[in-house]
Amino acid sequence: METQQQKPYVIGLDLGGTNSVFGIVDQRGEIKATTAIKTQGYDKVEDYVDACVDALQVIIEQVGGLETIKAMGIGAPNANYYNGTIEYAPNLTWAHDCIVPLAKMFSERLGDIPVALTNDANAAALGEMTYGVARGMKNFIMITLGTGVGSGIVVNGQLLYGHDGFAGELGHVTMRRENGRLCGCGRTGCLEAYCSATGVARTAREFLEKRKDKSLLRELDPEKITSLDVSIAAGKGDSLAKEIYEFTGNMLGEACADFAAFSSPEAFVFFGGMAKAGDLIMDPIKKSYDEHVMPIFRGKAQFLVSSLDGASAAVLGASAIGWEI
Amino acid sequence: METQQQKPYVIGLDLGGTNSVFGIVDQRGEIKATTAIKTQGYDKVEDYVDACVDALQVIIEQVGGLETIKAMGIGAPNANYYNGTIEYAPNLTWAHDCIVPLAKMFSERLGDIPVALTNDANAAALGEMTYGVARGMKNFIMITLGTGVGSGIVVNGQLLYGHDGFAGELGHVTMRRENGRLCGCGRTGCLEAYCSATGVARTAREFLEKRKDKSLLRELDPEKITSLDVSIAAGKGDSLAKEIYEFTGNMLGEACADFAAFSSPEAFVFFGGMAKAGDLIMDPIKKSYDEHVMPIFRGKAQFLVSSLDGASAAVLGASAIGWEI
């Protein structure tokens, strides 16, 4: 155990549907070496792990060998932290119809170092707590605004996994109980159906259809509008695009007000494409939060944007799991 | 420290607006001695604590003296667990306009035993975890259905206090975002505005006004209907009263579905007047939960009614704090 404390690095694996990106990271969040392979193209998980280990061995040697590695963390879809497994992940050919003990498989191939995995949003929360804007915080909520809306909840300095390991699905609290939009989860009215990238694009189409005012967005094919288009138009001062952000931020603020009643966090930390819009999205979130939160919580929580570089944030988040085990 | 482990009892104080009830409790939840004083009638907190200690000394002697007491727990309104204080409690004359360091005051008067306090719903959760249906559970949510709707959230075997000590206000998540009922907290659409005893009475008045069907409840003065009247009528098979319970249970089930997305608990434990109605309220809650919860959580959580005797539950809950410190 004492020797483990002296090991200076952890491995992070950001396991996405397309790419698997590896980083070897020190305690300050500096990525010492990195590599990647394609996630696709392996029918059997054994072949995937073989390819991973081949790629890893090169960068492990670069930093001084396996004896410098404390542990490995994996951020992956459908990850069960308690069991170290990936379970029925629709986008992974070798795990779409089964439960894969991925943590154990990597550990056995890497000299029995501890390996743990969790989902992307939880990894992002650990990344912020270890290297980012949430350093030193014991109670905060990470909200990732991407294709979906993910979350990682930290209470008493620990990630909230719940009874089954799947806690923290805040993208799927119900925000509209009547006539709510259909969500990817099969239910209606979820936060994600409005505040994900696809949700924002849908809001844009709805606004353009219902209203008559001019907008830069009218120059685009409505069916192809993305949340990035909305962001660019809003950045140019387009008032309709700004209102789309206000609508989105308003709902996020309402949702955060409910989350405060649950865990009363010190901060909400936002990550992802939309969070990059800065004040355009953060101002409506804060305004709406102050309007909707219980008086007892008003003015207590900070609203922060992730300080981790977008390109390496996922690997850093995954690596942060390694310091926790 | 070792001698403390051998001390067989804790003191519980259920500090209500009207009465202050004390119990000396063993580790199995048996109340060995009990006493009470009026909470009102003391302008200064020092006088209140004097009166408490006078009453306590009698029962402390009964169980073998102060050396048998490990600690004291207090369940009280506007209690701040982190600071051991009661803060601006509107119903307490000696604390309505100030911050009172009640834990420290009791500790000094009781031979420096550890004293901690928390709000009633958190105390109830600890009571269930220590002596009741949640024994051995590490992740559950306690929901108290009384004059208000309170909650105590346990994650990783610990009460969730949040950054400021006030987490777990689940009675104040927003269930109706448009045309919601005014809540006692000054906001609109809160769970409490519908599912508290006064909320259920209001639902009864609304149902009676809007509809024409016969009901035992029509024999009562609408302005004086209570949730107990609804419970009695439902128990006699009155269909309108049953529908009022279905409406209430449906909303509680929807709310619990959102809570599952947050902390994925092993169980929801209900306490209070309405929970005593048993299946009349629990069946609609469970049905609604299954309809509204994310598929990943479906069928995983138990729905339980508190097993602690109503009359002594609050004292037991308060005493349970004593085992935690």
Side-chain angles (χ1 to χ4, degrees), chain A residues 97-154:
Chain A
D97 61 353
C98 56
I99 296 176
V100 170
L102 199 67
K104 187 164 164 276
M105 294 180 73
F106 271 105
S107 181
E108 285 173 359
R109 297 294 304 274
L110 295 170
D112 288 327
I113 61 168
V115 180
L117 43 76
T118 190
N119 72 39
D120 319 23
N122 284 340
L126 285 178
E128 293 300 333
M129 190 164 71
T130 312
Y131 316 115
V133 292
R135 250 176 300 188
M137 288 188 191
K138 298 226 171 283
N139 292 278
F140 71 98
I141 296 179
M142 178 92 203
I143 296 177
T144 60
L145 301 169
T147 316
V149 174
S151 66
I153 304 165
V154 172

Side-chain angles (χ1 to χ4, degrees), chain A residues 28-313:
Chain A
R28 292 162 51 209
E30 200 172 314
I31 298 177
K32 294 300 193 180
T34 184
T35 187
I37 66 165
K38 294 276 169 204
T39 304
Q40 305 293 345
Y42 306 95
D43 289 336
K44 287 164 55 187
V45 63
E46 288 79 8
D47 297 337
Y48 169 75
V49 173
D50 278 346
C52 286
V53 172
D54 284 349
L56 263 176
Q57 263 159 357
V58 178
I59 58 169
I60 289 173
E61 285 314 310
Q62 283 174 21
V63 300
L66 201 52
E67 54 275 22
T68 67
I69 309 291
K70 178 185 177 294
M72 175 177 183
I74 304 171
N78 297 54
N80 185 323
Y81 173 79
Y82 288 138
N83 301 334
T85 50
I86 293 185
E87 308 189 357
Y88 306 103
N91 296 328
L92 303 175
T93 46
W94 40 265
H96 76 276
D97 61 353
C98 56
I99 296 176
V100 170
L102 199 67
K104 187 164 164 276
M105 294 180 73
F106 271 105
S107 181
E108 285 173 359
R109 297 294 304 274
L110 295 170
D112 288 327
I113 61 168
V115 180
L117 43 76
T118 190
N119 72 39
D120 319 23
N122 284 340
L126 285 178
E128 293 300 333
M129 190 164 71
T130 312
Y131 316 115
V133 292
R135 250 176 300 188
M137 288 188 191
K138 298 226 171 283
N139 292 278
F140 71 98
I141 296 179
M142 178 92 203
I143 296 177
T144 60
L145 301 169
T147 316
V149 174
S151 66
I153 304 165
V154 172
V155 296
N156 298 335
Q158 300 173 313
L159 259 181
L160 205 175
Y161 285 111
H163 182 55
D164 59 355
F166 294 111
E169 285 289 353
L170 298 185
H172 299 279
V173 298
T174 304
M175 297 304 293
R176 290 289 176 269
R177 297 191 185 275
E178 284 170 27
N179 305 315
R181 288 183 190 169
L182 186 62
C183 180
C185 74
R187 294 147 66 243
T188 57
C190 294
L191 181 64
E192 175 167 300
Y194 297 85
C195 299
S196 61
T198 46
V200 170
R202 182 164 167 184
T203 303
R205 285 192 292 276
E206 286 183 5
F207 272 49
L208 288 168
E209 204 176 299
K210 274 190 199 160
R211 298 168 41 152
K212 299 294 162 203
D213 40 338
K214 282 185 191 169
S215 168
L216 295 169
L217 296 172
R218 294 200 186 278
E219 296 165 15
L220 306 168
D221 175 355
E223 291 310 309
K224 290 186 180 159
I225 284 181
T226 66
S227 65
L228 183 61
D229 295 327
V230 180
S231 171
I232 291 167
K236 289 179 182 168
D238 186 85
S239 64
L240 191 79
K242 279 187 186 171
E243 279 184 56
I244 294 165
Y245 265 26
E246 275 164 29
F247 172 87
T248 310
N250 187 52
M251 190 179 284
L252 284 167
E254 283 184 59
C256 288
D258 278 350
F259 303 160
F262 206 103
S263 71
S264 187
E266 178 176 359
F268 295 92
V269 183
F270 292 83
F271 176 81
M274 228 181 339
K276 285 185 201 148
D279 293 347
L280 276 174
I281 187 75
M282 297 305 285
D283 283 350
I285 291 175
K286 284 186 252 186
K287 185 162 173 281
S288 165
Y289 179 83
D290 282 340
E291 281 169 17
H292 291 100
V293 79
M294 280 185 84
I296 196 174
F297 299 120
R298 203 169 284 153
K300 288 182 176 174
Q302 300 176 65
F303 285 79
L304 306 171
V305 175
S306 165
S307 63
L308 301 182
D309 172 42
S312 54

Side-chain angles (χ1 to χ4, degrees), chain B residues 207-323:
Chain B
F207 273 47
L208 287 168
E209 204 176 301
K210 273 189 201 161
R211 299 172 37 156
K212 299 294 162 203
D213 39 337
K214 282 186 190 170
S215 168
L216 294 169
L217 296 172
R218 296 204 186 274
E219 297 165 14
L220 307 168
D221 175 354
E223 291 311 309
K224 290 186 180 158
I225 283 181
T226 65
S227 66
L228 183 60
D229 295 326
V230 180
S231 170
I232 291 168
K236 289 180 181 168
D238 186 85
S239 64
L240 191 79
K242 279 188 185 170
E243 279 184 55
I244 293 164
Y245 266 25
E246 274 163 28
F247 172 88
T248 310
N250 187 51
M251 188 178 284
L252 284 167
E254 283 184 59
C256 288
D258 277 351
F259 303 160
F262 206 103
S263 71
S264 187
E266 177 176 358
F268 295 92
V269 182
F270 291 83
F271 175 81
M274 229 180 341
K276 285 185 200 147
D279 293 347
L280 276 173
I281 188 76
M282 297 305 286
D283 282 350
I285 292 175
K286 285 185 252 186
K287 184 162 173 282
S288 165
Y289 179 82
D290 282 340
E291 280 169 18
H292 291 98
V293 78
M294 282 185 83
I296 195 175
F297 300 120
R298 203 169 286 155
K300 287 183 177 174
Q302 301 177 64
F303 285 80
L304 305 171
V305 175
S306 164
S307 63
L308 300 181
D309 172 43
S312 54
V315 164
L316 287 175
S319 80
I321 309 166
W323 298 118

Side-chain angles (χ1 to χ4, degrees), chain B residues 75-99:
Chain B
N78 296 54
N80 185 322
Y81 173 79
Y82 289 139
N83 301 333
T85 51
I86 292 184
E87 307 188 357
Y88 306 103
N91 296 327
L92 302 175
T93 46
W94 40 264
H96 77 275
D97 62 352
C98 56
I99 295 176

